[in-house]
């Protein structure tokens, strides 16, 4: 191999090393890191009135003391059901660039109608909370048991000389434990279906 050829090879190798270094820098830069999922984030309140009007109704009305008592009022004075998820997606359309993000509703307290909030997940993955696992690691429980017909009726059960003892389940903590991420959030899709709890990140 001639001197000129060896020199050319060394130049090519040096160029490749520079390019590899640049790629490594990009892979570890904040911009690249920010592209990875960061977890569910709260967007804010849902505009139920605006959503109902966008559907040709007069406004949103509250007819009771729970989150499910929100309705759209039609022009002839009738109340119709509404979808909190669709209302959130209408309220925050800019948060739906594609399948990597998903806007959903979260009811913080079923008995507080104003607690309906909109959130954005970093993925479309949905996981059920491991309630038994949560209770088995909880100081006051051995397993999760269902004591009623709503999502709020899950309890941690432990045994005592006087019989079973029940303590509340913190589903948010159960989701964070299930997903092993503090950014996980809990939500239910149907208050009257105890098995409708979801964990989102």
């Amino acid at each position: 191999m001639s001197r000129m050829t060896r020199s050319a090879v060394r130049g090519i190798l040096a160029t490749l090393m520079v390019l590899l270094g640049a790629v490594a820098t990009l892979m570890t830069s904040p911009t690249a890191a920010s592209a990875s999922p960061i977890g569910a984030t709260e967007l804010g309140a849902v505009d139920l009135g605006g959503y109902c009007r966008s559907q040709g109704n007069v406004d949103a009305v509250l007819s009771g003391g729970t989150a499910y008592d929100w309705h759209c009022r039609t022009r002839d004075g009738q109340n119709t059901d509404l979808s909190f998820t669709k209302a959130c997606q209408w309220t925050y359309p800019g948060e739906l660039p594609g399948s990597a993000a998903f806007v959903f509703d979260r009811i913080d307290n079923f008995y507080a109608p104003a607690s309906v909030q909109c959130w954005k997940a970093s993925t479309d993955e949905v996981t059920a909370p491991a309630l038994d696992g949560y209770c088995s690691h909880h100081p006051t429980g051995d397993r999760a048991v269902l004591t009623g017909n709503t999502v709020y009726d899950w309890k941690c059960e432990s045994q005592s000389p006087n019989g079973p003892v029940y303590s509340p389940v913190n589903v948010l903590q159960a989701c964070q434990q299930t997903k092993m991420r503090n950014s996980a959030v809990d939500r239910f899709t149907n208050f009257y279906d105890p098995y409708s709890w979801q964990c989102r990140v």
Side-chain angles (χ1 to χ4, degrees):
M1 183 179 292
S2 67
R3 181 183 299 274
M4 183 176 296
T5 302
R6 288 196 297 270
S7 176
V9 170
R10 285 196 296 270
I12 292 172
L13 290 175
T15 301
L16 287 174
M17 292 298 293
V18 171
L19 290 174
L20 288 173
V23 170
T25 300
L26 288 173
M27 291 296 291
T28 57
S29 67
T31 301
S34 64
S36 61
I38 59 174
T41 55
E42 184 175 352
L43 298 175
V46 57
D47 183 0
L48 294 178
Y51 170 73
C52 286
R53 289 189 292 273
S54 75
Q55 303 300 304
N57 298 294
V58 175
D59 207 346
V61 295
L62 184 63
S63 60
T66 76
Y68 284 178
D69 289 315
W70 283 109
H71 304 280
C72 287
R73 176 67 58 83
T74 64
R75 296 188 182 279
D76 60 358
Q78 301 298 312
N79 290 344
T80 62
D81 292 336
L82 59 83
S83 165
F84 289 141
T85 293
K86 290 181 179 179
C88 279
Q89 293 171 353
W90 180 88
T91 304
Y92 299 95
E95 301 295 337
L96 289 169
S99 60
F102 187 75
V103 173
F104 60 93
D105 67 281
R106 179 178 183 268
I107 301 172
D108 186 60
N109 181 353
F110 181 73
Y111 298 104
S115 71
V116 182
Q117 297 290 315
C118 300
W119 286 69
K120 181 179 72 172
S122 57
T123 74
D124 58 4
E125 179 180 323
V126 177
T127 306
L131 299 182
D132 270 332
Y134 166 81
C135 287
S136 66
H137 289 87
H138 198 271
T140 59
D142 298 323
R143 62 171 185 156
V145 296
L146 188 59
T147 61
N149 298 316
T150 77
V151 292
Y152 287 172
D153 290 319
W154 285 104
K155 300 290 188 291
C156 287
E157 180 189 70
S158 60
Q159 297 299 322
S160 75
N162 297 322
V165 177
Y166 301 99
S167 58
V169 170
N170 187 320
V171 183
L172 176 59
Q173 290 182 2
C175 278
Q176 292 171 346
Q177 178 179 303
T178 300
K179 302 298 293 183
M180 293 186 292
R181 295 182 67 172
N182 289 333
S183 59
V185 68
D186 61 325
R187 74 181 291 261
F188 55 84
T189 60
N190 182 353
F191 181 76
Y192 299 105
D193 178 1
Y195 297 93
S196 69
W197 279 110
Q198 298 178 346
C199 301
R200 302 297 303 270
V201 293

